Amino acid sequence: MIPPIILDKMESNRNRYVDELLSFLKIPSVSTLSHHGADVRRAAEWVFNSLKRLGLQASLHQTERHPIVYAESPPLPDKPTLLVYGHYDVQPPDPLDEWVSPPFTPQIRDGYVYARGASDDKGQFYTYLKAMEAIMAVEGGLPINVKVLVEGEEEIGSPNLGPFLRENAAILKADAVAISDSSQFVQGVPAITYGLRGLSYLQIDVQGPRFDLHSGSFGGMVQNPIMVLTNLLAALRHPDSTIAIPGFYDDTLEPAAWERDEMASLQFDEGRLREYLGVSELVGEPGYSPLERKSARPTLDVNGIWGGFSGEGAKTIIPARAGAKVSMRLVPNQKAARINALFRAFIEGLTPPGVEVRVTELHGAEPVLISRDQPSVKAAERAIEIGFGKAPVFIREGGSIPIVNLLAEILGSDSILMMGWGSPDDGAHSPNERFFLDDFHRGIRSAAALFYELSK
Ligand code: BES
Ligand code: MN
Ligand code: MN
């Protein structure tokens, strides 16, 4: 339960919470684009200052790239400790011309705030800060110990988080970890996420002749790098969407019968999803439902491709080079390193003479499954029921959050509570990303309720 005076406090501060979120969303903290380096730093300082204003012991840690912000509440020796994680970095906002309002000029329409990072993840993790603020304003302290860790490199695979966790393992020790960087099952059906897929992300570069050639003068004598690349890409998957790399499926753990039953019992509206996505059909691996395919089965996708001439009109050339970004979503017990090696061997084996093909590993994450049979998970369930007025369903998600493996591997934490306040149609990574403000406030209540439920 949340004491009623704290709920009152939250009610009367709703507008200010939103105003603060809007000012946070104005900072274009795009971690992958180096020209936004200073903006990413500004977002880190913004988070650092909010934590300091709460009266927490806060610090800002430089890394090789983007800072990590850490803070903790005054210690209560007899109380459990919760580590709250979030990321203040965001994905690039392009294509810009598809945004109704500019990505870093937040606008409220129909109860949603529209901005890059609104849902992923600024708006979601900020709920914990406002929950702490309301409780501390009324009670002078929190019912548990809270440690807050906010990074600026999640969207680039958290390259500097592992070393930070290793160096600060003793300081970061906690009984449970709360991460609000996933989503509800659908808006109005809150969820606890107990599984994530892993990720192998690679780049293929194909180099042909030294420079673009006249396709009349040289066509018929040299390899065409785009043709080589597209042949390689086409070979990666069978027409039925299954992945053709030998050994790829060796370690995949089948979803358990109870999981398949549970997924089948969720009210999944395929027609509505098709309409939202603007596709005539959902497709994927035979023998599995769409929900199973997007959470409990591995996939391979081309994320981008380039090469040759794509401007106005026609230009008769054989391009010098071509390239593509390819990523694979992994499920337990696949290992990113092994999948990368299989991928590389497969591409090398199919490379024809006359070109040079290079495979580069960009980043990755391991798949995870969290045990639901833990007291902290029960506390999370009750907290969501208090905050949303509805018990959560349990889901596995298709995305990846690198810290989840790092926590298990480095801190030995298996009590990881992934509670998403966002929704699948928030448009994370897409144009017109948004976050439903009622769910922002429900998230604040759920975060407060989690502190109280864990204190019992
Ligand atoms: N918040 C997402 C992860 C996510 C997405 C969780 C959907 C649950 C449902 C996170 O910010 C993200 O986008 N992660 C990247 C990971 C990567 C860059 C290593 C992803 O999944 O592509
Ligand atoms: Mn995220
Ligand atoms: Mn993301």
Side-chain angles (χ1 to χ4, degrees):
M1 275 303 293
I2 308 174
I5 46 168
I6 289 169
L7 288 173
D8 291 346
K9 184 100 200 156
M10 290 172 175
E11 268 315 297
S12 56
N13 281 302
R14 280 171 78 101
N15 293 338
R16 180 173 55 82
Y17 297 164
V18 172
D19 289 343
E20 289 178 14
L21 175 60
L22 297 189
S23 77
F24 190 18
L25 292 174
K26 284 181 189 154
I27 309 173
S29 46
V30 185
S31 51
T32 200
L33 301 175
S34 39
H35 71 270
H36 277 298
D39 298 316
V40 179
R41 164 112 207 157
R42 209 145 48 81
E45 282 164 1
W46 194 95
V47 174
F48 169 74
N49 286 324
S50 327
L51 288 163
K52 235 176 32 187
R53 240 177 289 122
L54 290 181
L56 304 193
Q57 183 77 29
S59 50
L60 195 147
H61 299 261
Q62 220 47 253
T63 73
E64 274 170 35
R65 200 137 171 215
H66 302 307
I68 292 171
V69 182
Y70 177 71
E72 51 188 48
S73 59
L76 303 167
D78 302 328
K79 289 293 183 183
T81 300
L82 177 70
L83 177 65
V84 173
Y85 165 86
H87 64 91
Y88 65 80
D89 66 322
V90 302
Q91 287 271 327
D94 59 283
L96 286 176
D97 58 352
E98 289 187 31
W99 286 78
V100 173
S101 52
F104 299 107
T105 308
Q107 200 184 76
I108 297 172
R109 300 194 295 274
D110 303 327
Y112 288 86
V113 56
Y114 285 82
R116 171 58 85 231
S119 169
D120 186 10
D121 175 42
K122 288 172 172 172
Q124 291 210 59
F125 89 77
Y126 200 52
T127 57
Y128 289 87
L129 274 56
K130 295 300 99 179
M132 286 195 275
E133 181 194 274
I135 297 172
M136 290 166 99
V138 175
E139 311 271 17
L142 295 169
I144 56 169
N145 297 292
V146 177
K147 300 176 173 178
V148 183
L149 175 67
V150 189
E151 69 158 320
E153 297 186 333
E154 196 277 342
E155 299 290 9
I156 53 171
S158 304
N160 292 299
L161 190 59
F164 180 83
L165 294 184
R166 237 166 248 125
E167 277 159 34
N168 297 286
I171 297 166
L172 294 167
K173 236 182 103 52
D175 300 293
V177 185
I179 303 180
S180 289
D181 190 27
S182 48
S183 59
Q184 304 177 53
F185 176 61
V186 288
Q187 203 280 317
V189 183
I192 292 177
T193 294
Y194 71 97
L196 294 174
R197 285 195 290 191
L199 183 66
S200 274
Y201 200 131
L202 304 107
Q203 177 166 330
I204 306 178
D205 286 283
V206 181
Q207 178 68 49
R210 282 199 296 138
F211 40 81
D212 292 357
L213 302 176
H214 192 298
S215 64
S217 311
F218 297 95
M221 297 200 299
V222 294
Q223 286 282 15
N224 180 317
I226 296 180
M227 294 306 300
V228 172
L229 177 68
T230 52
N231 283 337
L232 291 173
L233 296 177
L236 287 166
R237 262 173 38 169
H238 298 300
D240 71 353
S241 301
T242 59
I243 294 146
I245 301 171
F248 181 87
Y249 289 99
D250 283 1
D251 302 323
T252 55
L253 180 72
E254 285 292 322
W258 64 265
E259 290 184 290
R260 300 190 76 169
D261 289 346
E262 193 176 69
M263 278 189 235
S265 75
L266 293 170
Q267 296 297 307
F268 175 63
D269 189 338
E270 189 177 327
R272 210 174 112 185
L273 180 61
R274 275 199 309 256
E275 197 176 311
Y276 166 68
L277 299 174
V279 298
S280 59
E281 218 177 309
L282 298 184
V283 300
E285 188 181 4
Y288 297 92
S289 73
L291 281 184
E292 290 167 350
R293 297 196 309 251
K294 78 127 201 183
S295 64
R297 294 297 297 164
T299 51
L300 181 150
D301 282 286
V302 178
N303 306 103
I305 185 165
W306 58 92
F309 177 72
S310 58
E312 190 186 352
K315 185 182 182 195
T316 43
I317 55 154
I318 293 171
R321 59 194 71 85
K325 309 259 185 191
V326 180
S327 64
M328 291 164 280
R329 296 285 173 177
L330 312 178
V331 301
N333 298 315
Q334 290 177 300
K335 293 268 175 290
R338 175 167 183 272
I339 294 299
N340 287 343
L342 293 177
F343 183 93
R344 189 182 289 282
F346 184 70
I347 295 292
E348 279 167 7
L350 289 181
T351 299
V355 285
E356 222 178 283
V357 175
R358 203 170 64 235
V359 174
T360 315
E361 291 164 25
L362 297 180
H363 60 221
E366 305 295 341
V368 273
L369 279 175
I370 308 284
S371 161
R372 289 157 54 168
D373 187 23
Q374 318 188 44
S376 60
V377 175
K378 297 280 173 287
E381 256 184 289
R382 292 194 300 272
I384 290 177
E385 193 156 0
I386 292 167
F388 280 74
K390 220 182 243 184
V393 297
F394 282 87
I395 58 174
R396 286 171 66 169
E397 279 282 17
S400 314
I401 309 175
I403 193 175
V404 177
N405 317 110
L406 297 172
L407 285 168
E409 182 193 310
I410 299 167
L411 302 187
S413 357
D414 45 15
S415 186
I416 299 172
L417 312 170
M418 291 189 271
M419 310 158 75
W421 322 140
S423 295
D425 61 357
D426 281 346
H429 299 200
S430 299
N432 302 303
E433 179 178 349
R434 64 182 188 176
F435 189 24
F436 192 41
L437 287 171
D438 283 350
D439 286 335
F440 173 62
H441 298 293
R442 292 181 184 117
I444 296 172
R445 285 202 296 274
S446 303
L450 181 66
F451 300 154
Y452 284 103
E453 291 303 315
L454 288 171
S455 75
K456 286 182 184 164

